Amino acid sequence: KKSEVGQIITFQGPAGVFTYRQSEREPIFLATGTGIAPIYSIIKDLLETQKTEKNIYLYWGLKVKDDMYY
């Protein structure tokens, strides 16, 4: 169904809690688009604050190369 000009549309953002749980395993992160923001913070903390020596794997999906940042 096509939206009409002036029609009210309701949106709902993500719900829930996103946290990193310490583990003996190497972390694997998956993200798309701006969903990288919380994962970026977690990886930065692991490297800079916690000085982890584990390999960290990040799979970040984007539509085109020009969408890359960080």
Side-chain angles (χ1 to χ4, degrees):
K1 180 179 171 182
K2 187 175 179 182
S3 298
E4 301 293 329
V5 174
Q7 181 179 354
I8 296 175
I9 300 175
T10 303
F11 291 91
Q12 182 177 350
V17 177
F18 182 77
T19 59
Y20 173 73
R21 287 185 276 165
Q22 293 289 341
S23 172
E24 294 301 316
R25 298 184 290 180
E26 295 176 327
I28 300 172
F29 296 98
L30 307 169
T32 60
T34 58
I36 191 68
I39 293 172
Y40 176 84
S41 296
I42 291 169
I43 292 173
K44 187 174 180 182
D45 181 65
L46 287 171
L47 295 172
E48 295 177 1
T49 305
Q50 298 183 37
K51 308 285 189 207
T52 188
E53 294 184 14
K54 296 177 188 175
N55 290 319
I56 299 172
Y57 299 92
L58 170 63
Y59 297 91
W60 184 22
L62 299 163
K63 289 184 179 182
V64 294
K65 186 177 177 181
D66 288 342
D67 287 345
M68 288 184 71
Y69 54 95
Y70 283 133

